[in-house]
Amino acid sequence: MSRIPVWKTIALSLTEDIAEGRYGEGDQLPTEAQLAATHGVNRHTVRRALADLADQGLVHARRGAGVFVAARPTDYAIGKRVRFHKNIAAGGRIPGKRILTLLTRAADAAEADALGLPAGAQVHVYDGLSLADGQPIAVFQSVFPAARFPGLPEVLTETRSVTAALQRLGVADFTRVSTRLTARPASATQALHLRLNEGAPLMFSTGINVDPDGQPVEYGRTWFAGDRVTLTVGED
């Protein structure tokens, strides 16, 4: 069994310190010399660990001043009503979304089952990137029944908001009826979008949203950057 490189161990330790609030947003980390002494390594090893954190967007260096925490993990509530913009704004951050692809195709088996559709039914698929203060925190895929929402792609392109788009198309409210959470390593594409290393830990969520009559309106898959988001599970 291969050993974890020392620099990676240091990076993981610092990531935990940031996640646990030992270093807050804007705080300066210990110097390279201090970290080298603490971990019993040379400064080159520490430098590589700090570079890894910088690649993830967790820290940034100021020439002549040191290395500072760039962002704290974002709290994200998962309950009966999951609303991205509301969740991010509640944490004092600016929410944003970027469309990666928006297309219509035949549903796969899992999508058809989740949405209660016949095999091969057409679905709209919205792949995107979720942002908090401009930093990518998750990649997502939302799938909708195309027959019920024929104009959805155009409305999503305009609003970038699932909630606003569904309201415009007659769904005044929707609620989450199931959520599953598992851990996954980042693929090469996900790592590129999230500015992570390939294989970095992600929290993978799948969920089904239904309208007030209990009809499925959205099947969602989301891959959260594990060190940038704290998921909280509640009733609301």
Side-chain angles (χ1 to χ4, degrees):
M1 184 172 64
S2 61
R3 294 179 56 192
I4 298 176
V6 175
W7 69 265
K8 188 65 176 177
T9 300
I10 297 171
L12 290 172
S13 176
L14 290 171
T15 298
E16 182 179 351
D17 286 340
I18 294 170
E20 294 295 330
R22 300 184 186 100
Y23 299 109
E25 189 170 0
D27 287 350
Q28 183 177 4
L29 295 183
T31 66
E32 288 182 4
Q34 290 170 329
L35 289 170
T38 298
H39 294 278
V41 298
N42 59 45
R43 293 176 64 170
H44 175 76
T45 301
V46 169
R47 199 169 295 127
R48 185 169 182 186
L50 293 174
D52 181 67
L53 297 186
D55 287 343
Q56 297 179 48
L58 291 177
V59 302
H60 61 90
R62 298 178 190 167
R63 181 169 296 182
V67 177
F68 296 81
V69 177
R72 67 185 187 279
T74 299
D75 287 331
Y76 196 89
I78 294 180
K80 186 177 181 181
R81 287 177 175 81
V82 180
R83 303 292 187 265
F84 170 75
H85 285 78
K86 181 179 179 180
N87 278 352
I88 300 303
R93 297 180 177 276
I94 299 173
K97 283 194 174 182
R98 184 181 305 157
I99 296 175
L100 299 176
T101 60
L102 188 55
L103 54 84
T104 302
R105 59 161 171 76
D108 65 26
E111 294 162 350
D113 180 66
L115 294 172
L117 300 174
Q122 293 289 291
V123 290
H124 301 310
V125 183
Y126 173 23
D127 288 287
L129 187 63
S130 297
L131 310 169
D133 290 343
Q135 181 187 48
I137 60 171
V139 289
F140 66 87
Q141 182 178 84
S142 292
V143 183
F144 309 89
R148 180 171 180 181
F149 305 116
L152 186 61
E154 292 78 12
V155 180
L156 279 173
T157 299
E158 178 185 344
T159 64
R160 308 291 176 96
S161 167
V162 170
T163 302
L166 290 179
Q167 285 178 343
R168 189 177 298 185
L169 295 173
V171 180
D173 189 24
F174 58 89
T175 53
R176 181 70 62 94
V177 294
S178 71
T179 300
R180 294 188 64 188
L181 295 172
T182 56
R184 298 280 180 87
S187 68
T189 300
Q190 291 166 343
L192 179 64
H193 287 310
L194 294 171
R195 302 173 195 167
L196 297 170
N197 292 325
E198 185 176 354
L202 303 179
M203 290 180 286
F204 177 55
S205 167
T206 61
I208 301 172
N209 288 320
V210 300
D211 66 14
D213 294 324
Q215 295 299 309
V217 295
E218 179 190 10
Y219 173 53
R221 305 176 179 103
T222 305
W223 295 261
F224 293 95
D227 53 4
R228 297 181 195 163
V229 177
T230 300
L231 298 180
T232 57
V233 179
E235 294 296 325
D236 295 333

